[in-house]
Amino acid sequence: MRRPPSFAVLVVVAIATISLHTTAAPPDEAPAECRAQVENALSALAPCFDKSSRKLAAGSPGTLEHAIAAYAPARFHAVSEGTLGPIISNARCPDDMALAFGRFCIDRYEASLVERMPDGTITAVSPYVTPPADGHVYLARSVKDVVPQGYISAAQSAAACKASGKRLCQPVEWRAACGGSAGYAFPYGPSRDAGRCHDSGVSPMLAYHEDTMKRGWGRDELNDPRNNQLAGGLAKTGAFPDCKNDFDVYDMVGNLHEWTADPNGTFQGGYWLDTSQHGDGCAYRTISHGYEYHDYSTGFRCCADPIAAP
């Protein structure tokens, strides 16, 4: 049984997290341009949901829209939401992906990497370091029961998806898929069920880098390979079998932050020590880092356009 961290530890971690990422605020306290950004996000999401098929009315407590509307960035940072493609009749996806709303495919699991060598052979990649860039071709995989890739930037994530014949999910696609066909605030339903997803655990930054916390953690500490190897930290893909939506997509809340295709730099869903600081559950979004940023908490999954079955 996992031992939960003490309240004091949670407070320290929360303070440290706030210092690293742009904080959120109730919309009525946020700047006008930030409130407009929330409205734009809701507008982009709207085509996914047919009112007749939802168990909760759009925007009511427990829905994805309600969770999104409850938070706005305290400082403006542009977000490109992307657009939802049309519904494709008889759409299908590869076996490692799920079909969402008949509009797009999404990986069932957080991505892990393999490398394609010049001779075409495939070799393993350590999930505990930032993948070296020059001269390497990495392929994104959606596989159960492996350590997902942390320490990765949005640019590297997009390249790995592309090399696999996929693409990085657009922010609106990611949020729509997270809430499932009913558009809930969490993958599994309308309200938080603590521990159902990997939304708590030990802090590697306190375990390994408490002595440098006061001066501020830098690139080296945040990318220490030990961070994601600490017991009680990062979990394998699918290790929380009830953390899924009705598309059978796993771990969209907690475990690792997941980069999206926003070129301004946006990751979503939170990680195992924070799934509520910047929006709750499927509404969680951090927008304060660039497309090349990476640390131990940043991961990804891929999307793709479906094809019509004959």
Short mmCIF file of all heavy atoms in Angstrom, two decimals, residues 66-126:
data_model
loop_
_atom_site.label_atom_id
_atom_site.label_comp_id
_atom_site.label_asym_id
_atom_site.label_seq_id
_atom_site.Cartn_x
_atom_site.Cartn_y
_atom_site.Cartn_z
N HIS A 66 -17.55 22.93 -17.23
CA HIS A 66 -17.58 23.57 -15.92
C HIS A 66 -16.18 23.65 -15.32
O HIS A 66 -15.79 24.68 -14.73
CB HIS A 66 -18.52 22.80 -14.99
CG HIS A 66 -18.76 23.47 -13.68
ND1 HIS A 66 -17.96 23.25 -12.57
CD2 HIS A 66 -19.72 24.36 -13.29
CE1 HIS A 66 -18.41 23.97 -11.56
NE2 HIS A 66 -19.47 24.66 -11.96
N ALA A 67 -15.41 22.58 -15.46
CA ALA A 67 -14.04 22.56 -14.92
C ALA A 67 -13.15 23.57 -15.65
O ALA A 67 -12.33 24.25 -15.03
CB ALA A 67 -13.45 21.16 -15.03
N ILE A 68 -13.32 23.68 -16.97
CA ILE A 68 -12.53 24.65 -17.73
C ILE A 68 -12.90 26.07 -17.34
O ILE A 68 -12.05 26.93 -17.14
CB ILE A 68 -12.74 24.44 -19.25
CG1 ILE A 68 -12.11 23.11 -19.69
CG2 ILE A 68 -12.14 25.59 -20.06
CD1 ILE A 68 -12.45 22.72 -21.12
N ALA A 69 -14.20 26.33 -17.21
CA ALA A 69 -14.68 27.68 -16.91
C ALA A 69 -14.31 28.13 -15.51
O ALA A 69 -14.33 29.33 -15.21
CB ALA A 69 -16.20 27.74 -17.09
N ALA A 70 -13.95 27.21 -14.63
CA ALA A 70 -13.67 27.54 -13.23
C ALA A 70 -12.30 28.17 -13.03
O ALA A 70 -12.03 28.73 -11.96
CB ALA A 70 -13.80 26.29 -12.37
N TYR A 71 -11.42 28.06 -14.03
CA TYR A 71 -10.05 28.57 -13.87
C TYR A 71 -9.64 29.37 -15.10
O TYR A 71 -10.05 29.07 -16.22
CB TYR A 71 -9.06 27.41 -13.70
CG TYR A 71 -9.22 26.65 -12.39
CD1 TYR A 71 -10.12 25.60 -12.30
CD2 TYR A 71 -8.48 27.00 -11.27
CE1 TYR A 71 -10.28 24.90 -11.12
CE2 TYR A 71 -8.63 26.31 -10.09
CZ TYR A 71 -9.53 25.26 -10.01
OH TYR A 71 -9.69 24.58 -8.83
N ALA A 72 -8.80 30.38 -14.85
CA ALA A 72 -8.20 31.13 -15.94
C ALA A 72 -6.77 31.46 -15.54
O ALA A 72 -6.47 31.61 -14.35
CB ALA A 72 -8.98 32.42 -16.21
N PRO A 73 -5.86 31.59 -16.50
CA PRO A 73 -4.48 31.95 -16.15
C PRO A 73 -4.42 33.32 -15.48
O PRO A 73 -5.17 34.23 -15.86
CB PRO A 73 -3.76 31.98 -17.50
CG PRO A 73 -4.62 31.17 -18.42
CD PRO A 73 -6.02 31.37 -17.94
N ALA A 74 -3.55 33.45 -14.51
CA ALA A 74 -3.39 34.74 -13.84
C ALA A 74 -2.65 35.74 -14.72
O ALA A 74 -2.78 36.95 -14.55
CB ALA A 74 -2.64 34.56 -12.52
N ARG A 75 -1.85 35.20 -15.65
CA ARG A 75 -1.15 36.04 -16.63
C ARG A 75 -1.41 35.46 -18.01
O ARG A 75 -1.44 34.25 -18.19
CB ARG A 75 0.36 36.09 -16.36
CG ARG A 75 0.72 36.77 -15.06
CD ARG A 75 2.23 37.02 -14.98
NE ARG A 75 2.98 35.77 -15.02
CZ ARG A 75 3.28 35.06 -13.94
NH1 ARG A 75 2.86 35.47 -12.74
NH2 ARG A 75 3.99 33.96 -14.04
N PHE A 76 -1.54 36.35 -18.99
CA PHE A 76 -1.87 35.88 -20.34
C PHE A 76 -0.65 35.25 -21.01
O PHE A 76 0.46 35.78 -20.95
CB PHE A 76 -2.38 37.03 -21.19
CG PHE A 76 -2.73 36.62 -22.60
CD1 PHE A 76 -3.88 35.89 -22.85
CD2 PHE A 76 -1.89 36.94 -23.66
CE1 PHE A 76 -4.20 35.49 -24.13
CE2 PHE A 76 -2.20 36.54 -24.95
CZ PHE A 76 -3.36 35.82 -25.20
N HIS A 77 -0.90 34.13 -21.66
CA HIS A 77 0.09 33.46 -22.50
C HIS A 77 -0.71 32.81 -23.62
O HIS A 77 -1.62 32.02 -23.35
CB HIS A 77 0.88 32.42 -21.70
CG HIS A 77 2.00 31.78 -22.47
ND1 HIS A 77 3.26 32.31 -22.51
CD2 HIS A 77 2.03 30.66 -23.22
CE1 HIS A 77 4.04 31.54 -23.25
NE2 HIS A 77 3.31 30.52 -23.69
N ALA A 78 -0.41 33.14 -24.85
CA ALA A 78 -1.23 32.68 -25.98
C ALA A 78 -1.31 31.16 -26.04
O ALA A 78 -0.34 30.46 -25.75
CB ALA A 78 -0.66 33.22 -27.28
N VAL A 79 -2.49 30.66 -26.40
CA VAL A 79 -2.71 29.23 -26.61
C VAL A 79 -3.42 29.05 -27.95
O VAL A 79 -4.43 29.71 -28.22
CB VAL A 79 -3.58 28.61 -25.50
CG1 VAL A 79 -3.90 27.15 -25.82
CG2 VAL A 79 -2.88 28.71 -24.16
N SER A 80 -2.89 28.17 -28.79
CA SER A 80 -3.54 27.80 -30.03
C SER A 80 -4.30 26.51 -29.80
O SER A 80 -3.70 25.43 -29.70
CB SER A 80 -2.52 27.63 -31.15
OG SER A 80 -3.12 27.24 -32.36
N GLU A 81 -5.62 26.58 -29.69
CA GLU A 81 -6.44 25.43 -29.32
C GLU A 81 -6.45 24.34 -30.39
O GLU A 81 -6.61 23.16 -30.08
CB GLU A 81 -7.88 25.86 -29.05
CG GLU A 81 -8.06 26.80 -27.88
CD GLU A 81 -7.88 26.12 -26.54
OE1 GLU A 81 -7.88 24.87 -26.50
OE2 GLU A 81 -7.72 26.84 -25.55
N GLY A 82 -6.30 24.73 -31.65
CA GLY A 82 -6.49 23.78 -32.73
C GLY A 82 -7.97 23.65 -33.05
O GLY A 82 -8.82 24.33 -32.47
N THR A 83 -8.29 22.78 -33.97
CA THR A 83 -9.68 22.58 -34.37
C THR A 83 -10.00 21.10 -34.41
O THR A 83 -9.13 20.25 -34.58
CB THR A 83 -9.92 23.18 -35.77
OG1 THR A 83 -9.01 22.58 -36.71
CG2 THR A 83 -9.73 24.69 -35.76
N LEU A 84 -11.27 20.81 -34.26
CA LEU A 84 -11.75 19.43 -34.33
C LEU A 84 -12.13 19.10 -35.77
O LEU A 84 -12.83 19.86 -36.44
CB LEU A 84 -12.97 19.25 -33.43
CG LEU A 84 -12.68 19.39 -31.93
CD1 LEU A 84 -13.98 19.57 -31.16
CD2 LEU A 84 -11.91 18.19 -31.42
N GLY A 85 -11.66 17.96 -36.25
CA GLY A 85 -11.99 17.54 -37.60
C GLY A 85 -13.43 17.09 -37.70
O GLY A 85 -14.14 16.94 -36.70
N PRO A 86 -13.89 16.85 -38.92
CA PRO A 86 -15.28 16.40 -39.12
C PRO A 86 -15.48 14.97 -38.65
O PRO A 86 -14.52 14.20 -38.51
CB PRO A 86 -15.45 16.51 -40.64
CG PRO A 86 -14.06 16.29 -41.18
CD PRO A 86 -13.15 16.95 -40.19
N ILE A 87 -16.71 14.61 -38.41
CA ILE A 87 -17.05 13.22 -38.10
C ILE A 87 -16.87 12.39 -39.38
O ILE A 87 -17.36 12.78 -40.45
CB ILE A 87 -18.48 13.11 -37.58
CG1 ILE A 87 -18.62 13.86 -36.25
CG2 ILE A 87 -18.89 11.65 -37.40
CD1 ILE A 87 -20.03 13.93 -35.72
N ILE A 88 -16.18 11.29 -39.26
CA ILE A 88 -15.93 10.40 -40.40
C ILE A 88 -16.76 9.14 -40.24
O ILE A 88 -16.64 8.43 -39.22
CB ILE A 88 -14.43 10.07 -40.49
CG1 ILE A 88 -13.62 11.35 -40.74
CG2 ILE A 88 -14.17 9.04 -41.60
CD1 ILE A 88 -12.12 11.13 -40.77
N SER A 89 -17.57 8.85 -41.22
CA SER A 89 -18.40 7.65 -41.15
C SER A 89 -17.53 6.40 -41.21
O SER A 89 -16.55 6.34 -41.95
CB SER A 89 -19.38 7.64 -42.33
OG SER A 89 -20.25 8.74 -42.26
N ASN A 90 -17.89 5.42 -40.40
CA ASN A 90 -17.14 4.15 -40.35
C ASN A 90 -15.66 4.37 -40.07
O ASN A 90 -14.81 3.65 -40.60
CB ASN A 90 -17.32 3.36 -41.65
CG ASN A 90 -18.76 3.02 -41.94
OD1 ASN A 90 -19.49 2.62 -41.04
ND2 ASN A 90 -19.19 3.22 -43.18
N ALA A 91 -15.37 5.37 -39.25
CA ALA A 91 -13.96 5.68 -38.95
C ALA A 91 -13.32 4.55 -38.15
O ALA A 91 -13.97 3.87 -37.36
CB ALA A 91 -13.89 6.98 -38.15
N ARG A 92 -12.03 4.37 -38.36
CA ARG A 92 -11.29 3.38 -37.60
C ARG A 92 -9.90 3.93 -37.29
O ARG A 92 -9.40 4.84 -37.95
CB ARG A 92 -11.18 2.06 -38.36
CG ARG A 92 -10.37 2.13 -39.64
CD ARG A 92 -10.32 0.76 -40.31
NE ARG A 92 -9.44 0.80 -41.48
CZ ARG A 92 -9.27 -0.24 -42.31
NH1 ARG A 92 -9.92 -1.37 -42.08
NH2 ARG A 92 -8.46 -0.14 -43.34
N CYS A 93 -9.29 3.33 -36.28
CA CYS A 93 -7.97 3.75 -35.80
C CYS A 93 -7.07 2.53 -35.69
O CYS A 93 -7.55 1.39 -35.61
CB CYS A 93 -8.07 4.42 -34.44
SG CYS A 93 -9.08 5.92 -34.41
N PRO A 94 -5.75 2.74 -35.63
CA PRO A 94 -4.84 1.62 -35.35
C PRO A 94 -5.17 0.99 -33.99
O PRO A 94 -5.79 1.62 -33.13
CB PRO A 94 -3.46 2.30 -35.33
CG PRO A 94 -3.63 3.55 -36.13
CD PRO A 94 -5.02 4.00 -35.89
N ASP A 95 -4.75 -0.25 -33.80
CA ASP A 95 -5.09 -0.98 -32.58
C ASP A 95 -4.58 -0.31 -31.31
O ASP A 95 -5.18 -0.48 -30.24
CB ASP A 95 -4.53 -2.41 -32.65
CG ASP A 95 -5.26 -3.26 -33.68
OD1 ASP A 95 -6.37 -2.88 -34.08
OD2 ASP A 95 -4.71 -4.31 -34.07
N ASP A 96 -3.46 0.43 -31.39
CA ASP A 96 -2.90 1.07 -30.19
C ASP A 96 -3.54 2.42 -29.91
O ASP A 96 -3.11 3.12 -28.99
CB ASP A 96 -1.38 1.20 -30.31
CG ASP A 96 -0.94 2.08 -31.48
OD1 ASP A 96 -1.77 2.33 -32.39
OD2 ASP A 96 0.22 2.50 -31.50
N MET A 97 -4.57 2.77 -30.67
CA MET A 97 -5.24 4.05 -30.51
C MET A 97 -6.74 3.82 -30.35
O MET A 97 -7.27 2.77 -30.71
CB MET A 97 -4.98 4.97 -31.71
CG MET A 97 -3.51 5.17 -32.04
SD MET A 97 -3.25 6.39 -33.36
CE MET A 97 -3.27 7.92 -32.41
N ALA A 98 -7.41 4.83 -29.81
CA ALA A 98 -8.86 4.79 -29.65
C ALA A 98 -9.49 5.87 -30.52
O ALA A 98 -8.89 6.94 -30.74
CB ALA A 98 -9.23 5.02 -28.18
N LEU A 99 -10.69 5.61 -30.98
CA LEU A 99 -11.44 6.59 -31.76
C LEU A 99 -12.24 7.47 -30.81
O LEU A 99 -12.98 6.97 -29.96
CB LEU A 99 -12.38 5.88 -32.73
CG LEU A 99 -13.26 6.77 -33.60
CD1 LEU A 99 -12.42 7.60 -34.57
CD2 LEU A 99 -14.29 5.93 -34.36
N ALA A 100 -12.10 8.77 -30.95
CA ALA A 100 -12.82 9.72 -30.10
C ALA A 100 -13.79 10.54 -30.94
O ALA A 100 -13.38 11.25 -31.86
CB ALA A 100 -11.83 10.65 -29.38
N PHE A 101 -15.07 10.40 -30.64
CA PHE A 101 -16.14 11.19 -31.25
C PHE A 101 -16.25 10.99 -32.76
O PHE A 101 -16.87 11.81 -33.44
CB PHE A 101 -15.96 12.68 -30.93
CG PHE A 101 -15.89 12.97 -29.46
CD1 PHE A 101 -14.67 13.21 -28.84
CD2 PHE A 101 -17.04 12.99 -28.69
CE1 PHE A 101 -14.60 13.46 -27.48
CE2 PHE A 101 -16.97 13.24 -27.33
CZ PHE A 101 -15.75 13.47 -26.72
N GLY A 102 -15.64 9.95 -33.30
CA GLY A 102 -15.64 9.75 -34.74
C GLY A 102 -14.80 10.76 -35.49
O GLY A 102 -14.83 10.81 -36.72
N ARG A 103 -14.00 11.55 -34.74
CA ARG A 103 -13.27 12.67 -35.33
C ARG A 103 -11.75 12.48 -35.35
O ARG A 103 -11.08 12.98 -36.26
CB ARG A 103 -13.58 13.97 -34.58
CG ARG A 103 -15.04 14.40 -34.64
CD ARG A 103 -15.28 15.60 -33.75
NE ARG A 103 -16.68 16.01 -33.71
CZ ARG A 103 -17.22 16.89 -34.53
NH1 ARG A 103 -16.49 17.47 -35.47
NH2 ARG A 103 -18.51 17.22 -34.42
N PHE A 104 -11.19 11.83 -34.35
CA PHE A 104 -9.74 11.69 -34.29
C PHE A 104 -9.38 10.44 -33.48
O PHE A 104 -10.19 9.92 -32.71
CB PHE A 104 -9.08 12.93 -33.68
CG PHE A 104 -9.51 13.27 -32.28
CD1 PHE A 104 -8.81 12.81 -31.17
CD2 PHE A 104 -10.63 14.06 -32.06
CE1 PHE A 104 -9.21 13.12 -29.88
CE2 PHE A 104 -11.04 14.39 -30.77
CZ PHE A 104 -10.33 13.91 -29.68
N CYS A 105 -8.18 9.96 -33.69
CA CYS A 105 -7.63 8.83 -32.94
C CYS A 105 -6.67 9.36 -31.89
O CYS A 105 -5.99 10.36 -32.10
CB CYS A 105 -6.87 7.89 -33.88
SG CYS A 105 -7.81 7.27 -35.29
N ILE A 106 -6.59 8.66 -30.76
CA ILE A 106 -5.68 9.06 -29.69
C ILE A 106 -5.07 7.83 -29.05
O ILE A 106 -5.73 6.79 -28.89
CB ILE A 106 -6.43 9.93 -28.63
CG1 ILE A 106 -5.44 10.45 -27.58
CG2 ILE A 106 -7.60 9.18 -28.00
CD1 ILE A 106 -6.01 11.57 -26.71
N ASP A 107 -3.78 7.92 -28.71
CA ASP A 107 -3.09 6.80 -28.08
C ASP A 107 -3.78 6.38 -26.80
O ASP A 107 -4.21 7.22 -25.99
CB ASP A 107 -1.64 7.20 -27.74
CG ASP A 107 -0.72 7.15 -28.94
OD1 ASP A 107 -1.12 6.63 -30.00
OD2 ASP A 107 0.43 7.64 -28.82
N ARG A 108 -3.84 5.08 -26.58
CA ARG A 108 -4.46 4.56 -25.36
C ARG A 108 -3.58 4.81 -24.13
O ARG A 108 -4.09 4.93 -23.01
CB ARG A 108 -4.72 3.06 -25.51
CG ARG A 108 -5.75 2.74 -26.59
CD ARG A 108 -6.10 1.27 -26.61
NE ARG A 108 -6.97 0.96 -27.74
CZ ARG A 108 -8.29 1.15 -27.74
NH1 ARG A 108 -8.89 1.64 -26.67
NH2 ARG A 108 -9.01 0.84 -28.81
N TYR A 109 -2.27 4.90 -24.33
CA TYR A 109 -1.34 5.03 -23.21
C TYR A 109 -0.38 6.19 -23.45
O TYR A 109 -0.12 6.58 -24.60
CB TYR A 109 -0.53 3.74 -23.02
CG TYR A 109 -1.39 2.54 -22.73
CD1 TYR A 109 -1.72 1.63 -23.72
CD2 TYR A 109 -1.92 2.32 -21.45
CE1 TYR A 109 -2.52 0.53 -23.47
CE2 TYR A 109 -2.73 1.23 -21.18
CZ TYR A 109 -3.03 0.33 -22.20
OH TYR A 109 -3.82 -0.75 -21.93
N GLU A 110 0.17 6.71 -22.36
CA GLU A 110 1.22 7.71 -22.48
C GLU A 110 2.38 7.12 -23.26
O GLU A 110 2.69 5.94 -23.17
CB GLU A 110 1.68 8.15 -21.08
CG GLU A 110 0.63 8.95 -20.34
CD GLU A 110 1.04 9.26 -18.90
OE1 GLU A 110 1.59 8.36 -18.23
OE2 GLU A 110 0.82 10.39 -18.46
N ALA A 111 3.05 7.97 -24.01
CA ALA A 111 4.05 7.49 -24.97
C ALA A 111 5.35 7.05 -24.30
O ALA A 111 5.83 7.66 -23.35
CB ALA A 111 4.34 8.57 -25.99
N SER A 112 5.90 5.99 -24.86
CA SER A 112 7.28 5.59 -24.60
C SER A 112 8.00 5.67 -25.93
O SER A 112 7.38 5.84 -26.99
CB SER A 112 7.34 4.17 -24.02
OG SER A 112 6.65 3.26 -24.85
N LEU A 113 9.31 5.57 -25.91
CA LEU A 113 10.10 5.73 -27.13
C LEU A 113 10.94 4.51 -27.44
O LEU A 113 11.39 3.78 -26.55
CB LEU A 113 11.07 6.93 -26.99
CG LEU A 113 10.49 8.33 -26.86
CD1 LEU A 113 11.63 9.34 -26.76
CD2 LEU A 113 9.57 8.67 -28.02
N VAL A 114 11.16 4.28 -28.73
CA VAL A 114 12.23 3.42 -29.23
C VAL A 114 12.96 4.22 -30.29
O VAL A 114 12.43 5.21 -30.82
CB VAL A 114 11.69 2.09 -29.82
CG1 VAL A 114 11.05 1.23 -28.74
CG2 VAL A 114 10.70 2.35 -30.96
N GLU A 115 14.18 3.79 -30.60
CA GLU A 115 14.96 4.48 -31.63
C GLU A 115 15.09 3.60 -32.87
O GLU A 115 15.37 2.41 -32.76
CB GLU A 115 16.34 4.84 -31.10
CG GLU A 115 17.18 5.61 -32.12
CD GLU A 115 18.54 6.06 -31.59
OE1 GLU A 115 18.81 5.79 -30.40
OE2 GLU A 115 19.30 6.66 -32.36
N ARG A 116 14.89 4.22 -34.04
CA ARG A 116 15.12 3.52 -35.30
C ARG A 116 16.54 3.84 -35.77
O ARG A 116 16.88 4.98 -36.05
CB ARG A 116 14.11 3.94 -36.36
CG ARG A 116 14.23 3.16 -37.67
CD ARG A 116 13.06 3.43 -38.58
NE ARG A 116 13.02 4.83 -38.97
CZ ARG A 116 11.88 5.49 -39.25
NH1 ARG A 116 10.72 4.88 -39.15
NH2 ARG A 116 11.92 6.76 -39.61
N MET A 117 17.36 2.81 -35.85
CA MET A 117 18.75 2.98 -36.22
C MET A 117 18.88 3.13 -37.74
O MET A 117 17.96 2.80 -38.50
CB MET A 117 19.56 1.78 -35.74
CG MET A 117 19.38 1.47 -34.25
SD MET A 117 19.77 2.88 -33.18
CE MET A 117 21.57 2.90 -33.34
N PRO A 118 20.03 3.61 -38.22
CA PRO A 118 20.22 3.79 -39.67
C PRO A 118 20.00 2.52 -40.49
O PRO A 118 19.57 2.60 -41.65
CB PRO A 118 21.67 4.28 -39.77
CG PRO A 118 21.92 4.98 -38.47
CD PRO A 118 21.15 4.18 -37.46
N ASP A 119 20.26 1.35 -39.89
CA ASP A 119 20.06 0.10 -40.62
C ASP A 119 18.62 -0.41 -40.52
O ASP A 119 18.31 -1.51 -41.00
CB ASP A 119 21.04 -0.97 -40.15
CG ASP A 119 20.84 -1.36 -38.68
OD1 ASP A 119 19.92 -0.81 -38.03
OD2 ASP A 119 21.61 -2.20 -38.17
N GLY A 120 17.75 0.37 -39.89
CA GLY A 120 16.34 0.00 -39.79
C GLY A 120 15.98 -0.78 -38.55
O GLY A 120 14.79 -1.01 -38.29
N THR A 121 16.95 -1.22 -37.78
CA THR A 121 16.66 -1.95 -36.56
C THR A 121 16.13 -0.99 -35.49
O THR A 121 16.36 0.22 -35.54
CB THR A 121 17.90 -2.68 -36.03
OG1 THR A 121 18.95 -1.72 -35.79
CG2 THR A 121 18.38 -3.72 -37.03
N ILE A 122 15.43 -1.57 -34.51
CA ILE A 122 14.82 -0.80 -33.43
C ILE A 122 15.54 -1.12 -32.13
O ILE A 122 15.80 -2.28 -31.82
CB ILE A 122 13.33 -1.13 -33.29
CG1 ILE A 122 12.58 -0.80 -34.59
CG2 ILE A 122 12.71 -0.38 -32.12
CD1 ILE A 122 12.60 0.66 -34.98
N THR A 123 15.85 -0.08 -31.36
CA THR A 123 16.54 -0.29 -30.09
C THR A 123 15.84 0.47 -28.98
O THR A 123 15.11 1.45 -29.23
CB THR A 123 18.01 0.17 -30.18
OG1 THR A 123 18.71 -0.17 -28.98
CG2 THR A 123 18.11 1.67 -30.40
N ALA A 124 16.02 0.03 -27.76
CA ALA A 124 15.36 0.64 -26.61
C ALA A 124 15.93 2.03 -26.31
O ALA A 124 17.08 2.33 -26.65
CB ALA A 124 15.50 -0.26 -25.39
N VAL A 125 15.13 2.85 -25.68
CA VAL A 125 15.52 4.20 -25.26
C VAL A 125 15.24 4.33 -23.77
O VAL A 125 14.17 3.92 -23.30
CB VAL A 125 14.74 5.27 -26.04
CG1 VAL A 125 15.01 6.67 -25.49
CG2 VAL A 125 15.09 5.21 -27.53
N SER A 126 16.15 4.92 -23.03
CA SER A 126 15.91 5.13 -21.60
C SER A 126 14.83 6.18 -21.40
O SER A 126 14.92 7.28 -21.97
CB SER A 126 17.18 5.58 -20.89
OG SER A 126 16.88 5.98 -19.55
#
